[in-house]
Amino acid sequence: MDALFDFQTAKAYVAWWKQSEHRAAVALQSQLMIEMLQPLRGKSALVIGCGNHTVCSTLLDAGLSVTCIDNSPYLLDIAEQSLGKRIDFLRYDGDDMPFSDNAFHYATLFCALEFLPDPFKTLEEVFRVTRNRVFIALFNPYATSGFRRQMMRIFPKEKHHAIHVFTCSQLKRAIRAMLGRVPVTSCYASFFPQSNNWMSRTLDHAACMRRLPFGTFSLLTASVVPRFRTRPLVVNYREAEKRSTAPMPVQMGCDPSRRLPANFDGYPPPESLQDISAFAGLSKPSFRTPQPSTMGRKTSHGSDPVSESR
């Protein structure tokens, strides 16, 4: 975002969101963000893009611990001067985010995805560092109001090609291509962003109007499954250590040259068997044929030998 937000453009962008005719639209988006995220107090939230300070203030009021990242140092300086030390500010260069996997409970991208140099790379990183839900707000290209065209006047015409345009259906397909069939909730809001009378407020807050694809903003909430970043483990060995510590290969096959010959029975037994054969005769048990007992039988003379001895 450095190519888009220089010092003058950053000041104009922040001042544009603070205009009185835009306050009603910003307040409605902040209310819908809390309704769709349903955050729990005491949890952590990551904000990508700090051009709209109302988003960070709403998350702070909800009792969340907020960390804000942006690629523009000018937007970070303006946000830090406005919000003070209640938020942790970090600069994000568009590559890997300096956070661990599933570090935050919630994440928000409020009209920030269009200005990123690589939006899908940033989305992958946001899904990696978030564990519960991600809220995304986009400018709807099919909106009947000229809200987005007014915002485009802030940037020079030669930089308009760097601003991306996404529809709600395109973003849904991108999310499911990254995460699979996860629950994605979407709606449209702010049909009269520059009107603040009772009729426009009633229509903007009506639930039936949120299905019409002509609102100024497209709002999406994706329930994120836990994701982890893996890298191949590289272990460097010196060649000498590799030779000395490498285990010997195990040969599962049989060597044909070491097969036993066909007349193996004629070969003498091994030495261990020869030692055992020397004691084989000692351990062999001897069996004697039992003699029939003569007790209780009579002799040839017809007398009992036991009775004769008595």
Side-chain angles (χ1 to χ4, degrees):
M1 289 185 287
D2 287 336
L4 290 174
F5 292 97
D6 53 10
F7 180 71
Q8 298 296 332
T9 306
K11 289 179 59 178
Y13 184 73
V14 174
W16 186 83
W17 281 109
K18 292 183 178 180
Q19 293 177 5
S20 58
E21 58 267 23
H22 302 155
R23 290 177 182 175
V26 174
L28 178 60
Q29 306 314 309
S30 302
Q31 177 185 348
L32 292 177
M33 177 183 64
I34 297 298
E35 292 180 2
M36 298 176 73
L37 277 180
Q38 299 178 358
L40 301 176
R41 299 185 68 88
K43 303 299 183 179
S44 57
L46 175 66
V47 178
I48 296 91
C50 58
N52 193 343
H53 302 165
T54 308
V55 178
C56 299
S57 300
T58 304
L59 294 175
L60 286 175
D61 295 340
L64 299 177
S65 175
V66 181
T67 301
C68 187
I69 61 174
D70 203 297
N71 197 18
S72 173
Y74 309 108
L75 288 175
L76 288 173
D77 291 341
I78 296 173
E80 190 172 1
Q81 293 175 4
S82 177
L83 299 171
K85 301 297 183 180
R86 297 181 297 169
I87 299 177
D88 296 330
F89 294 96
L90 294 174
R91 188 177 179 186
Y92 172 58
D93 56 359
D95 295 330
D96 295 342
M97 291 186 178
F99 306 113
S100 60
D101 301 334
N102 310 311
F104 299 93
H105 295 88
Y106 312 100
T108 63
L109 293 95
F110 192 93
C111 297
L113 197 64
E114 296 94 336
F115 308 109
L116 295 172
D118 193 350
F120 297 110
K121 170 65 176 177
T122 303
L123 270 182
E124 290 180 352
E125 285 295 296
V126 170
F127 294 148
R128 180 183 64 83
V129 301
T130 310
R131 68 179 71 174
N132 287 347
R133 282 181 291 276
V134 176
F135 173 81
I136 304 173
L138 303 168
F139 287 106
N140 184 15
Y142 303 133
T144 55
S145 64
F147 200 75
R148 181 177 178 273
R149 290 192 297 270
Q150 294 179 8
M151 186 269 300
M152 294 284 287
R153 296 175 185 174
I154 300 174
F155 304 95
K157 292 185 178 180
E158 62 270 12
K159 295 183 179 180
H160 286 184
H161 67 278
I163 300 176
H164 307 278
V165 179
F166 299 100
T167 63
C168 187
S169 58
Q170 288 176 349
L171 192 57
K172 281 184 178 180
R173 289 194 296 267
I175 291 174
R176 283 173 175 155
M178 298 176 189
L179 300 180
R181 303 293 296 181
V182 297
V184 179
T185 306
S186 63
C187 66
Y188 301 90
S190 296
F191 294 88
F192 308 99
Q194 296 178 346
S195 300
N196 198 18
N197 52 47
W198 67 271
M199 182 177 294
S200 62
R201 290 197 302 267
T202 303
L203 291 176
D204 281 340
H205 287 80
C208 60
M209 295 288 292
R210 297 178 185 177
R211 296 301 176 187
L212 298 178
F214 306 111
T216 304
F217 299 97
S218 302
L219 309 179
L220 295 94
T221 302
S223 298
V224 184
V225 296
R227 298 175 64 86
F228 301 93
R229 178 174 54 188
T230 59
R231 293 188 177 94
L233 179 63
V234 179
V235 181
N236 296 323
Y237 286 100
R238 290 182 298 182
E239 194 65 27
E241 294 178 352
K242 187 185 298 185
R243 289 196 299 267
S244 60
T245 59
M248 295 297 294
V250 179
Q251 298 181 358
M252 301 301 295
C254 181
D255 189 1
S257 61
R258 301 185 63 181
R259 291 178 180 174
L260 297 175
N263 55 349
F264 177 72
D265 297 338
Y267 277 61
E271 296 179 359
S272 59
L273 294 182
Q274 290 179 0
D275 298 339
I276 296 174
S277 61
F279 300 95
L282 299 178
S283 60
K284 183 177 179 181
S286 58
F287 297 97
R288 293 181 298 177
T289 304
Q291 299 295 330
S293 176
T294 58
M295 183 176 295
R297 294 186 180 182
K298 294 182 179 181
T299 59
S300 57
H301 302 284
S303 60
D304 190 356
V306 176
S307 59
E308 289 180 359
S309 61
R310 291 179 182 176

